[in-house]
Amino acid sequence: MFTCSVLRCTNPGVAFTAGSQNLVAGYHEAYVCAQHKALIEAGAPWDMEGRSVLMGRDLAPILNSWSARPSAGSEGFTLTLEIAGQIKPVEVFLMPEEAKTLSSFIDAANNDGG
Ligand SMILES: [Zn+2]
């Protein structure tokens, strides 16, 4: 008897679920309980860390909205992130190199299934 792979869940696993994202190497398949399988199938976000499944409060908080403001000084821009469960937005200054890295993730998301 194997338990559910979701972190701290002690229910017995009933079925495998597989992630459809291949941007990261390693495990994309997890054995989960009926409740977590239903949540995943209903579209709840999840991720994997090693062989554990992260959901809910173990997952990074969801981004509600964001905006970008170009810089008048140095090359780069200020990124404002409004995060679920946080009253104050987070602001970060992105240097061109970091912006390029972020853009490669966005490109991958744009090409997903398209
Ligand atoms: Zn579970």
Side-chain angles (χ1 to χ4, degrees):
M1 174 75 82
F2 293 98
T3 55
C4 178
S5 300
V6 176
L7 205 60
R8 285 187 301 275
C9 182
T10 53
N11 294 334
V14 295
F16 277 98
T17 186
S20 57
Q21 308 303 308
N22 296 312
L23 289 173
V24 288
Y27 267 94
H28 293 94
E29 228 182 37
Y31 198 55
V32 294
C33 69
Q35 290 95 315
H36 281 122
K37 186 173 169 56
L39 279 172
I40 287 169
E41 283 174 355
W46 64 288
D47 198 1
M48 292 189 74
E49 198 173 77
R51 294 187 185 204
S52 295
V53 171
L54 307 180
M55 291 186 80
R57 65 190 167 116
D58 293 315
L59 199 65
I62 306 291
L63 185 64
N64 275 344
S65 71
W66 66 274
S67 61
R69 185 172 75 241
S71 165
S74 304
E75 209 183 331
F77 60 93
T78 298
L79 185 63
T80 304
L81 307 175
E82 289 184 30
I83 298 162
Q86 293 193 12
I87 296 162
K88 280 181 118 179
V90 174
E91 291 202 318
V92 288
F93 190 84
L94 284 191
M95 303 294 282
E97 204 49 45
E98 292 155 346
K100 266 183 219 157
T101 306
L102 180 62
S103 145
S104 71
F105 275 92
I106 292 168
D107 281 349
N110 275 338
N111 294 329
D112 191 33

XYZ file of all heavy atoms in Angstrom:
846
model
N 0.840 -1.200 0.000
C 0.000 0.000 0.000
C 0.871 1.244 0.000
O 1.683 1.454 0.880
C -0.892 -0.017 1.255
C -1.710 1.251 1.440
S -3.114 1.378 0.341
C -4.310 0.377 1.222
N 0.726 2.061 -1.021
C 1.486 3.297 -1.113
C 0.576 4.478 -0.795
O -0.575 4.497 -1.213
C 2.082 3.471 -2.508
C 3.134 2.452 -2.812
C 2.826 1.316 -3.544
C 4.432 2.621 -2.346
C 3.801 0.360 -3.815
C 5.408 1.670 -2.610
C 5.089 0.531 -3.346
N 1.108 5.439 -0.055
C 0.295 6.611 0.256
C 0.410 7.642 -0.864
O 1.297 7.567 -1.707
C 0.721 7.257 1.591
O 2.102 7.553 1.519
C 0.460 6.357 2.769
N -0.503 8.584 -0.829
C -0.561 9.696 -1.788
C 0.763 10.463 -1.773
O 1.366 10.652 -0.720
C -1.717 10.600 -1.359
S -1.948 12.068 -2.347
N 1.205 10.915 -2.941
C 2.482 11.643 -3.050
C 2.383 13.117 -2.686
O 3.394 13.815 -2.641
C 3.021 11.559 -4.476
O 3.227 10.230 -4.831
N 1.151 13.610 -2.460
C 1.008 15.020 -2.088
C 1.599 15.201 -0.682
O 1.318 14.405 0.218
C -0.466 15.483 -2.132
C -0.598 16.917 -1.637
C -1.017 15.362 -3.554
N 2.419 16.223 -0.532
C 3.111 16.484 0.724
C 2.140 16.450 1.912
O 1.105 17.116 1.882
C 3.792 17.864 0.624
C 5.008 18.119 1.523
C 6.129 17.130 1.235
C 5.502 19.538 1.338
N 2.474 15.680 2.947
C 1.725 15.532 4.200
C 0.394 14.790 4.069
O -0.303 14.603 5.055
C 1.477 16.894 4.894
C 2.726 17.453 5.575
C 2.399 18.689 6.381
N 1.826 19.729 5.563
C 2.542 20.610 4.867
N 3.841 20.587 4.944
N 1.948 21.509 4.141
N -0.007 14.375 2.877
C -1.254 13.615 2.729
C -0.948 12.161 3.097
O 0.049 11.608 2.657
C -1.777 13.715 1.302
S -3.345 12.840 1.082
N -1.810 11.589 3.921
C -1.565 10.203 4.363
C -2.625 9.246 3.813
O -2.697 8.094 4.227
C -1.549 10.119 5.907
O -2.753 10.716 6.407
C -0.364 10.871 6.492
N -3.470 9.728 2.891
C -4.478 8.853 2.283
C -3.798 7.825 1.384
O -2.736 8.090 0.837
C -5.445 9.683 1.419
C -6.275 10.640 2.242
O -6.513 10.411 3.415
N -6.693 11.733 1.628
N -4.435 6.671 1.224
C -3.870 5.699 0.290
C -3.977 6.208 -1.147
O -4.976 6.808 -1.527
C -4.738 4.453 0.505
C -5.999 4.942 1.123
C -5.649 6.177 1.897
N -2.936 5.991 -1.929
C -2.954 6.376 -3.337
C -3.879 5.460 -4.117
O -4.037 4.285 -3.772
N -4.515 5.992 -5.154
C -5.419 5.179 -5.970
C -5.056 5.197 -7.450
O -5.424 4.282 -8.185
C -6.905 5.621 -5.835
C -7.409 5.395 -4.422
C -7.095 7.073 -6.251
N -4.362 6.250 -7.905
C -4.098 6.351 -9.338
C -2.879 7.224 -9.605
O -2.525 8.061 -8.784
C -5.312 6.956 -10.040
N -2.289 6.989 -10.760
C -1.181 7.829 -11.187
C -1.725 9.066 -11.881
O -2.753 9.003 -12.558
C -0.266 7.086 -12.162
C 0.736 6.217 -11.473
C 0.500 4.858 -11.333
C 1.896 6.762 -10.951
C 1.425 4.053 -10.677
C 2.826 5.962 -10.297
C 2.580 4.598 -10.162
N -1.023 10.184 -11.697
C -1.333 11.373 -12.468
C -0.018 11.842 -13.049
O 1.026 11.682 -12.439
C -2.014 12.455 -11.594
O -2.414 13.512 -12.440
C -1.100 13.001 -10.523
N -0.060 12.361 -14.261
C 1.175 12.774 -14.916
C 1.100 14.229 -15.300
O 0.083 14.691 -15.818
C 1.433 11.928 -16.151
N 2.170 14.948 -15.030
C 2.251 16.341 -15.434
C 2.507 16.417 -16.925
O 3.171 15.562 -17.498
N 1.972 17.458 -17.561
C 2.117 17.581 -19.013
C 3.269 18.500 -19.395
O 3.546 18.709 -20.556
C 0.822 18.107 -19.612
O 0.508 19.340 -19.011
N 3.936 19.088 -18.383
C 5.003 20.037 -18.659
C 6.342 19.323 -18.702
O 6.657 18.535 -17.829
C 5.022 21.126 -17.584
C 3.681 21.795 -17.365
C 3.129 22.416 -18.635
O 3.802 23.186 -19.312
N 1.916 22.044 -18.983
N 7.117 19.630 -19.742
C 8.403 18.949 -19.879
C 9.582 19.898 -19.816
O 10.653 19.586 -20.292
C 8.418 18.161 -21.190
C 7.375 17.059 -21.165
O 7.282 16.301 -20.200
N 6.565 16.990 -22.196
N 9.368 21.078 -19.203
C 10.448 22.052 -19.115
C 11.506 21.624 -18.111
O 12.648 22.033 -18.194
C 9.903 23.427 -18.685
C 9.062 24.169 -19.721
C 8.448 25.409 -19.108
C 9.907 24.543 -20.924
N 11.096 20.797 -17.136
C 12.048 20.353 -16.131
C 12.320 18.873 -16.302
O 11.431 18.095 -16.663
C 11.549 20.618 -14.686
C 11.593 22.089 -14.371
C 10.163 20.086 -14.463
N 13.576 18.511 -16.007
C 13.953 17.106 -16.063
C 13.441 16.415 -14.804
O 13.078 17.071 -13.836
C 15.464 16.996 -16.151
N 13.383 15.109 -14.827
C 13.015 14.370 -13.621
C 11.589 13.885 -13.653
O 10.971 13.779 -14.711
N 11.072 13.615 -12.449
C 9.764 12.987 -12.337
C 8.602 13.865 -12.776
O 8.542 15.031 -12.421
C 9.516 12.568 -10.885
C 9.940 11.162 -10.663
C 11.200 10.860 -10.186
C 9.063 10.115 -10.961
C 11.599 9.559 -10.002
C 9.454 8.813 -10.782
C 10.730 8.532 -10.306
O 11.118 7.243 -10.147
N 7.695 13.303 -13.536
C 6.483 14.018 -13.925
C 5.250 13.214 -13.542
O 4.138 13.581 -13.867
C 6.466 14.278 -15.431
C 7.526 15.246 -15.862
N 8.755 14.859 -16.313
C 7.534 16.598 -15.877
C 9.477 15.936 -16.591
N 8.766 16.997 -16.333
N 5.476 12.088 -12.870
C 4.369 11.194 -12.557
C 4.275 10.997 -11.057
O 5.290 10.873 -10.390
C 4.625 9.844 -13.233
C 3.416 9.346 -13.978
C 3.680 7.973 -14.590
O 4.364 7.135 -13.980
O 3.159 7.765 -15.680
N 3.073 11.000 -10.528
C 2.900 10.839 -9.095
C 1.697 9.945 -8.815
O 0.751 9.902 -9.601
C 2.691 12.199 -8.438
N 1.774 9.221 -7.684
C 0.687 8.364 -7.255
C -0.117 9.151 -6.225
O 0.439 9.599 -5.223
C 1.294 7.106 -6.628
C 0.358 5.945 -6.514
C -0.314 5.450 -7.633
C 0.164 5.312 -5.290
C -1.159 4.357 -7.527
C -0.677 4.216 -5.182
C -1.342 3.748 -6.301
O -2.172 2.673 -6.189
N -1.389 9.400 -6.493
C -2.176 10.280 -5.616
C -3.472 9.620 -5.146
O -3.947 8.654 -5.756
C -2.516 11.625 -6.317
C -1.261 12.444 -6.564
C -3.269 11.399 -7.615
N -4.044 10.169 -4.081
C -5.303 9.663 -3.537
C -6.473 10.190 -4.376
O -6.302 11.055 -5.233
C -5.456 10.086 -2.069
S -5.710 11.858 -1.841
N -7.664 9.667 -4.108
C -8.858 10.030 -4.888
C -9.149 11.532 -4.807
O -9.455 12.171 -5.818
C -10.058 9.230 -4.398
N -9.031 12.108 -3.575
C -9.338 13.534 -3.407
C -8.379 14.406 -4.221
O -8.802 15.360 -4.881
C -9.249 13.947 -1.931
C -10.346 13.393 -1.055
C -9.911 12.102 -0.357
O -9.312 11.204 -0.973
N -10.205 11.989 0.929
N -7.078 14.094 -4.110
C -6.104 14.917 -4.830
C -6.188 14.707 -6.337
O -5.986 15.634 -7.106
C -4.692 14.675 -4.279
C -4.455 15.418 -2.996
N -4.097 14.808 -1.823
C -4.581 16.748 -2.725
C -4.002 15.734 -0.867
N -4.292 16.913 -1.392
N -6.514 13.492 -6.761
C -6.690 13.240 -8.192
C -7.847 14.095 -8.728
O -7.734 14.711 -9.781
C -6.964 11.764 -8.456
C -7.016 11.436 -9.947
C -7.127 9.947 -10.182
C -7.442 9.614 -11.646
N -6.482 10.175 -12.595
N -8.935 14.174 -7.951
C -10.103 14.967 -8.358
C -9.739 16.454 -8.444
O -10.127 17.139 -9.388
C -11.250 14.746 -7.380
N -8.962 16.942 -7.449
C -8.550 18.355 -7.455
C -7.697 18.672 -8.682
O -7.889 19.696 -9.345
C -7.749 18.675 -6.186
C -8.542 18.958 -4.914
C -7.610 19.055 -3.715
C -9.337 20.253 -5.065
N -6.755 17.773 -8.979
C -5.862 17.980 -10.126
C -6.671 17.968 -11.423
O -6.491 18.821 -12.289
C -4.735 16.917 -10.138
C -3.731 17.211 -9.017
C -4.034 16.863 -11.502
C -2.725 16.111 -8.733
N -7.613 17.030 -11.513
C -8.427 16.944 -12.733
C -9.349 18.152 -12.873
O -9.727 18.528 -13.979
C -9.224 15.636 -12.756
C -8.323 14.477 -13.145
C -8.988 13.125 -13.058
O -10.148 13.041 -12.608
O -8.324 12.143 -13.427
N -9.694 18.778 -11.743
C -10.541 19.974 -11.779
C -9.728 21.220 -12.124
O -10.269 22.317 -12.209
C -11.244 20.152 -10.444
N -8.408 21.057 -12.279
C -7.588 22.181 -12.714
C -6.805 22.880 -11.622
O -6.223 23.934 -11.868
N -6.774 22.315 -10.404
C -5.988 22.928 -9.328
C -4.505 22.864 -9.706
O -4.033 21.832 -10.178
C -6.227 22.190 -8.016
N -3.775 23.994 -9.523
C -2.359 23.971 -9.881
C -1.552 23.046 -8.970
O -1.859 22.917 -7.783
C -1.917 25.426 -9.717
C -2.973 26.104 -8.950
C -4.217 25.281 -9.020
N -0.541 22.399 -9.520
C 0.334 21.525 -8.738
C 1.714 21.516 -9.344
O 1.899 21.910 -10.496
C -0.253 20.112 -8.630
C -0.389 19.356 -9.931
C -1.294 19.615 -10.907
C 0.382 18.239 -10.373
N -1.129 18.717 -11.931
C -0.118 17.854 -11.642
C 1.433 17.502 -9.824
C 0.411 16.782 -12.358
C 1.960 16.437 -10.536
C 1.453 16.079 -11.787
N 2.674 21.097 -8.547
C 4.053 21.019 -9.011
C 4.695 19.837 -8.306
O 4.088 19.236 -7.414
C 4.784 22.334 -8.681
C 6.070 22.505 -9.505
O 6.381 21.619 -10.330
O 6.747 23.527 -9.314
N 5.887 19.499 -8.710
C 6.593 18.416 -8.045
C 7.945 18.891 -7.567
O 8.609 19.690 -8.224
C 6.762 17.218 -8.982
C 5.448 16.545 -9.293
S 5.648 14.994 -10.188
C 6.246 13.910 -8.871
N 8.333 18.410 -6.392
C 9.659 18.668 -5.863
C 10.214 17.288 -5.547
O 9.750 16.644 -4.600
C 9.553 19.538 -4.603
C 10.845 20.215 -4.221
C 10.625 21.192 -3.079
O 10.500 20.738 -1.933
O 10.540 22.388 -3.348
N 11.126 16.830 -6.361
C 11.568 15.438 -6.246
C 10.396 14.550 -6.581
O 9.811 14.684 -7.648
N 10.024 13.679 -5.650
C 8.877 12.799 -5.905
C 7.632 13.250 -5.162
O 6.596 12.578 -5.205
C 9.227 11.361 -5.499
C 10.316 10.794 -6.382
C 10.556 9.345 -6.106
N 11.695 8.874 -6.894
C 11.889 7.619 -7.233
N 11.039 6.700 -6.849
N 12.939 7.272 -7.933
N 7.713 14.378 -4.453
C 6.554 14.889 -3.729
C 5.765 15.862 -4.591
O 6.342 16.614 -5.368
C 6.984 15.636 -2.463
O 7.594 14.744 -1.572
N 4.442 15.815 -4.410
C 3.571 16.742 -5.127
C 3.272 17.935 -4.226
O 2.951 17.761 -3.049
C 2.254 16.048 -5.543
C 1.254 17.049 -6.100
C 2.538 14.954 -6.572
N 3.414 19.133 -4.760
C 3.106 20.354 -4.016
C 1.783 20.919 -4.515
O 1.591 21.105 -5.708
C 4.210 21.403 -4.213
C 5.644 20.981 -3.926
C 6.594 22.142 -4.167
C 5.797 20.458 -2.504
N 0.876 21.166 -3.574
C -0.419 21.780 -3.901
C -0.784 22.735 -2.782
O -0.219 22.665 -1.700
C -1.515 20.706 -4.006
C -1.377 19.797 -5.203
S -2.796 18.679 -5.349
C -3.991 19.777 -6.110
N -1.768 23.605 -3.051
C -2.281 24.488 -2.012
C -1.193 25.333 -1.394
O -0.408 25.970 -2.088
N -1.115 25.316 -0.055
C -0.186 26.211 0.646
C 1.280 25.826 0.439
O 2.178 26.592 0.786
C -0.520 26.248 2.143
C -0.320 24.920 2.852
C -0.900 24.982 4.269
N -1.002 23.654 4.851
C -0.323 23.249 5.918
N 0.481 24.081 6.540
N -0.464 22.033 6.376
N 1.542 24.632 -0.091
C 2.930 24.247 -0.358
C 3.427 24.767 -1.700
O 4.623 24.799 -1.954
C 3.083 22.728 -0.310
C 2.871 22.201 1.102
O 3.433 22.801 2.038
O 2.141 21.219 1.258
N 2.486 25.140 -2.547
C 2.832 25.688 -3.853
C 3.122 27.172 -3.684
O 2.575 27.814 -2.788
C 1.628 25.492 -4.779
C 1.836 25.549 -6.286
C 2.730 24.404 -6.755
C 0.494 25.452 -6.993
N 3.980 27.727 -4.533
C 4.203 29.173 -4.494
C 2.854 29.864 -4.678
O 1.994 29.352 -5.392
C 5.166 29.567 -5.603
N 2.641 31.029 -4.030
C 1.344 31.704 -4.158
C 1.046 32.114 -5.602
O 1.955 32.380 -6.386
C 1.472 32.929 -3.255
C 2.906 33.065 -2.949
C 3.573 31.748 -3.177
N -0.228 32.150 -5.921
C -0.676 32.462 -7.275
C -0.559 33.965 -7.542
O -0.854 34.783 -6.672
C -2.165 32.040 -7.445
C -2.361 30.577 -7.066
C -2.687 32.336 -8.846
C -1.733 29.575 -7.988
N -0.136 34.297 -8.753
C -0.036 35.695 -9.172
C -1.414 36.196 -9.591
O -2.058 35.612 -10.453
C 0.938 35.782 -10.353
C 1.292 37.166 -10.876
C 2.044 37.965 -9.813
C 2.116 37.055 -12.138
N -1.896 37.254 -8.939
C -3.207 37.817 -9.286
C -3.110 38.726 -10.506
O -3.921 38.654 -11.412
C -3.789 38.607 -8.121
C -4.533 37.712 -7.149
O -4.862 36.577 -7.469
N -4.771 38.205 -5.949
N -2.136 39.621 -10.471
C -1.923 40.490 -11.621
C -0.513 41.040 -11.554
O 0.150 40.959 -10.524
C -2.940 41.624 -11.642
O -2.649 42.530 -10.610
N -0.051 41.600 -12.649
C 1.300 42.153 -12.686
C 1.342 43.308 -13.670
O 0.463 43.444 -14.513
C 2.316 41.082 -13.069
C 2.157 40.580 -14.476
C 1.319 39.588 -14.879
C 2.821 41.052 -15.650
N 1.420 39.425 -16.224
C 2.343 40.307 -16.732
C 3.793 42.042 -15.882
C 2.782 40.516 -18.038
C 4.241 42.262 -17.183
C 3.735 41.495 -18.243
N 2.340 44.149 -13.523
C 2.552 45.203 -14.501
C 4.047 45.460 -14.616
O 4.809 45.104 -13.706
C 1.811 46.479 -14.095
O 2.296 46.938 -12.854
N 4.459 46.045 -15.718
C 5.864 46.354 -15.940
C 5.994 47.826 -16.294
O 5.135 48.379 -16.977
C 6.417 45.490 -17.065
N 7.041 48.448 -15.762
C 7.261 49.885 -15.974
C 8.703 50.078 -16.430
O 9.622 49.709 -15.699
C 7.007 50.570 -14.632
C 7.050 52.054 -14.618
C 6.581 52.612 -13.254
N 7.578 52.463 -12.183
C 7.396 51.759 -11.070
N 6.273 51.104 -10.856
N 8.331 51.698 -10.161
N 8.901 50.627 -17.634
C 10.272 50.799 -18.107
C 11.028 51.783 -17.234
O 10.436 52.656 -16.612
C 10.115 51.338 -19.531
C 8.676 51.531 -19.774
C 7.898 51.112 -18.582
N 12.326 51.635 -17.213
C 13.172 52.505 -16.411
C 13.610 53.729 -17.210
O 13.878 53.634 -18.405
C 14.404 51.718 -15.958
O 15.390 52.609 -15.481
N 13.669 54.889 -16.543
C 14.154 56.107 -17.197
C 15.662 56.196 -17.076
O 16.315 56.941 -17.805
C 13.517 57.333 -16.555
N 16.234 55.437 -16.158
C 17.678 55.478 -15.921
C 18.402 54.363 -16.629
O 18.715 54.457 -17.810
N 18.632 53.273 -15.910
C 19.369 52.139 -16.460
C 18.481 51.298 -17.350
O 17.255 51.380 -17.298
C 19.892 51.256 -15.329
O 20.660 52.011 -14.449
N 19.129 50.462 -18.164
C 18.409 49.513 -18.990
C 17.743 48.501 -18.064
O 18.347 48.050 -17.096
C 19.410 48.790 -19.911
C 18.808 48.331 -21.211
C 19.821 47.550 -22.045
O 21.026 47.836 -21.910
O 19.391 46.673 -22.791
N 16.505 48.169 -18.358
C 15.780 47.238 -17.509
C 14.420 47.814 -17.185
O 14.038 48.850 -17.719
N 13.674 47.144 -16.313
C 12.347 47.647 -15.957
C 11.921 47.142 -14.592
O 12.486 46.190 -14.057
C 11.309 47.274 -17.024
C 11.149 45.788 -17.251
C 10.197 45.071 -16.565
C 11.953 45.130 -18.169
C 10.046 43.707 -16.774
C 11.807 43.764 -18.381
C 10.860 43.049 -17.689
N 10.929 47.841 -14.042
C 10.390 47.439 -12.752
C 9.169 46.566 -12.986
O 8.268 46.921 -13.744
C 9.987 48.667 -11.922
O 11.166 49.436 -11.688
C 9.387 48.268 -10.580
N 9.175 45.410 -12.341
C 8.076 44.461 -12.450
C 7.299 44.508 -11.137
O 7.890 44.383 -10.064
C 8.658 43.067 -12.689
C 7.712 41.914 -12.954
C 6.929 42.138 -14.242
C 8.505 40.618 -13.058
N 6.000 44.752 -11.205
C 5.144 44.788 -10.022
C 4.266 43.545 -10.014
O 3.570 43.273 -10.997
C 4.274 46.057 -10.027
O 5.143 47.188 -10.110
C 3.437 46.159 -8.755
N 4.332 42.794 -8.929
C 3.577 41.544 -8.816
C 2.551 41.655 -7.707
O 2.897 41.993 -6.574
C 4.531 40.383 -8.500
C 5.731 40.195 -9.428
C 6.638 39.092 -8.890
C 5.282 39.885 -10.842
N 1.290 41.413 -8.030
C 0.257 41.343 -7.000
C -0.044 39.888 -6.756
O -0.480 39.162 -7.640
C -0.978 42.130 -7.441
C -0.683 43.620 -7.405
C -1.865 44.491 -7.739
O -3.010 44.087 -7.470
O -1.631 45.593 -8.273
N 0.251 39.470 -5.519
C 0.236 38.059 -5.175
C -0.962 37.730 -4.297
O -1.280 38.487 -3.370
C 1.576 37.690 -4.477
C 2.738 37.920 -5.460
C 1.569 36.265 -3.960
C 4.083 38.013 -4.818
N -1.621 36.612 -4.591
C -2.778 36.173 -3.814
C -2.418 36.062 -2.344
O -1.385 35.503 -1.992
C -3.264 34.827 -4.345
N -3.260 36.631 -1.485
C -3.041 36.524 -0.042
C -2.106 37.575 0.516
O -1.843 37.590 1.714
N -1.551 38.453 -0.331
C -0.664 39.510 0.155
C -1.247 40.870 -0.190
O -1.629 41.105 -1.335
C 0.729 39.368 -0.466
C 1.438 38.125 0.021
C 2.918 38.127 -0.317
O 3.471 39.151 -0.716
N 3.552 36.984 -0.153
N -1.293 41.741 0.812
C -1.904 43.049 0.618
C -1.011 43.946 -0.233
O -1.470 44.586 -1.168
C -2.190 43.716 1.993
C -3.232 42.881 2.749
C -2.686 45.149 1.825
C -3.289 43.160 4.237
N 0.294 43.946 0.096
C 1.222 44.825 -0.622
C 1.808 44.112 -1.838
O 2.261 42.971 -1.719
C 2.388 45.226 0.293
C 2.052 46.340 1.254
C 3.260 46.673 2.094
C 3.735 48.089 1.889
N 4.898 48.405 2.747
N 1.818 44.796 -2.992
C 2.480 44.185 -4.154
C 3.991 44.125 -3.964
O 4.557 44.887 -3.169
C 2.105 45.118 -5.304
C 1.574 46.356 -4.705
C 1.223 46.096 -3.279
N 4.622 43.219 -4.669
C 6.072 43.079 -4.626
C 6.631 43.719 -5.891
O 6.106 43.509 -6.981
C 6.468 41.578 -4.594
C 7.979 41.396 -4.693
C 5.926 40.924 -3.332
N 7.660 44.556 -5.717
C 8.288 45.156 -6.887
C 9.723 44.692 -7.001
O 10.440 44.639 -5.996
C 8.252 46.690 -6.778
C 6.858 47.252 -6.915
C 6.864 48.713 -7.338
O 7.696 49.469 -6.806
O 6.048 49.081 -8.195
N 10.118 44.340 -8.221
C 11.514 43.966 -8.454
C 12.015 44.694 -9.691
O 11.249 44.953 -10.622
C 11.693 42.435 -8.652
C 11.503 41.688 -7.346
C 10.766 41.887 -9.714
N 13.295 45.060 -9.656
C 13.906 45.671 -10.836
C 14.591 44.564 -11.615
O 15.437 43.854 -11.089
C 14.916 46.752 -10.439
C 15.383 47.570 -11.611
C 14.640 48.657 -12.051
C 16.532 47.224 -12.297
C 15.052 49.400 -13.160
C 16.948 47.960 -13.402
C 16.203 49.053 -13.836
N 14.193 44.384 -12.881
C 14.774 43.335 -13.705
C 15.844 43.920 -14.616
O 15.581 44.848 -15.376
C 13.711 42.660 -14.582
C 12.762 41.660 -13.920
C 11.986 40.913 -14.977
C 13.508 40.684 -13.040
N 17.035 43.351 -14.517
C 18.117 43.708 -15.422
C 17.849 42.996 -16.755
O 17.115 41.995 -16.786
C 19.460 43.260 -14.836
C 19.733 43.845 -13.453
S 19.946 45.635 -13.463
C 21.640 45.742 -14.071
N 18.435 43.504 -17.858
C 18.145 42.901 -19.168
C 18.358 41.379 -19.202
O 17.572 40.669 -19.819
C 19.130 43.606 -20.103
C 19.380 44.924 -19.450
C 19.303 44.676 -17.977
N 19.402 40.895 -18.538
C 19.695 39.452 -18.576
C 18.567 38.660 -17.910
O 18.151 37.608 -18.397
C 21.052 39.188 -17.887
C 21.732 37.913 -18.322
C 21.800 37.743 -19.856
O 22.146 38.707 -20.577
O 21.485 36.630 -20.301
N 18.054 39.165 -16.785
C 16.956 38.493 -16.078
C 15.673 38.558 -16.901
O 14.900 37.610 -16.936
C 16.744 39.143 -14.709
C 17.909 38.888 -13.772
C 18.063 39.942 -12.689
O 17.439 41.016 -12.785
O 18.825 39.674 -11.755
N 15.487 39.704 -17.578
C 14.314 39.855 -18.430
C 14.341 38.830 -19.558
O 13.316 38.257 -19.921
C 14.258 41.268 -18.989
N 15.553 38.561 -20.103
C 15.688 37.571 -21.171
C 15.293 36.189 -20.671
O 14.624 35.428 -21.373
C 17.144 37.532 -21.678
C 17.379 38.426 -22.869
C 18.809 38.282 -23.366
C 19.350 39.634 -23.789
N 20.805 39.711 -23.761
N 15.748 35.847 -19.459
C 15.431 34.535 -18.891
C 13.925 34.401 -18.687
O 13.323 33.388 -19.048
C 16.168 34.351 -17.545
O 17.548 34.595 -17.759
C 15.978 32.949 -16.991
N 13.314 35.463 -18.137
C 11.865 35.460 -17.919
C 11.141 35.303 -19.256
O 10.180 34.539 -19.378
C 11.466 36.770 -17.226
C 9.989 36.964 -16.896
C 9.518 35.881 -15.926
C 9.765 38.340 -16.291
N 11.642 35.989 -20.255
C 11.028 35.937 -21.575
C 11.088 34.538 -22.185
O 10.173 34.127 -22.895
C 11.706 36.982 -22.456
O 11.801 36.553 -23.768
N 12.138 33.774 -21.873
C 12.226 32.416 -22.421
C 11.150 31.523 -21.825
O 10.612 30.644 -22.506
C 13.634 31.832 -22.196
O 13.834 31.544 -20.844
N 10.779 31.767 -20.533
C 9.677 30.998 -19.921
C 8.350 31.391 -20.573
O 7.503 30.549 -20.824
C 9.606 31.264 -18.415
C 10.537 30.388 -17.631
C 11.811 30.812 -17.332
C 10.124 29.130 -17.196
C 12.682 30.003 -16.614
C 10.993 28.326 -16.473
C 12.272 28.757 -16.184
N 8.181 32.672 -20.838
C 6.942 33.152 -21.442
C 6.816 32.609 -22.864
O 5.737 32.167 -23.272
C 6.890 34.700 -21.397
C 6.758 35.146 -19.936
C 5.727 35.234 -22.234
C 6.988 36.617 -19.690
N 7.929 32.586 -23.608
C 7.912 32.013 -24.957
C 7.476 30.560 -24.911
O 6.651 30.125 -25.724
C 9.310 32.088 -25.589
C 9.612 33.474 -26.118
O 8.685 34.291 -26.192
O 10.787 33.730 -26.461
N 8.013 29.798 -23.950
C 7.664 28.371 -23.822
C 6.172 28.220 -23.530
O 5.511 27.353 -24.085
C 8.507 27.726 -22.733
N 5.640 29.100 -22.672
C 4.217 29.041 -22.329
C 3.361 29.403 -23.543
O 2.311 28.808 -23.772
C 3.917 29.967 -21.161
N 3.832 30.362 -24.338
C 3.107 30.767 -25.534
C 3.031 29.644 -26.561
O 2.039 29.510 -27.275
C 3.787 31.966 -26.202
C 3.344 33.278 -25.609
O 2.278 33.351 -25.009
N 4.148 34.303 -25.763
N 4.105 28.837 -26.622
C 4.149 27.770 -27.620
C 3.458 26.512 -27.140
O 3.290 25.559 -27.891
C 5.615 27.440 -27.968
C 6.279 28.611 -28.661
O 5.606 29.363 -29.360
N 7.577 28.768 -28.472
N 3.064 26.485 -25.875
C 2.442 25.301 -25.282
C 1.118 24.992 -25.972
O 0.190 25.779 -25.919
C 2.219 25.552 -23.782
C 1.823 24.289 -23.078
O 2.291 23.216 -23.483
O 1.038 24.375 -22.121
N 1.065 23.852 -26.622
C -0.158 23.410 -27.246
C -0.560 24.214 -28.467
O -1.598 23.974 -29.070
N 0.256 25.177 -28.857
C -0.097 25.995 -29.976
C 0.593 25.525 -31.246
O 0.240 25.893 -32.308
Zn -3.754 12.931 -1.220
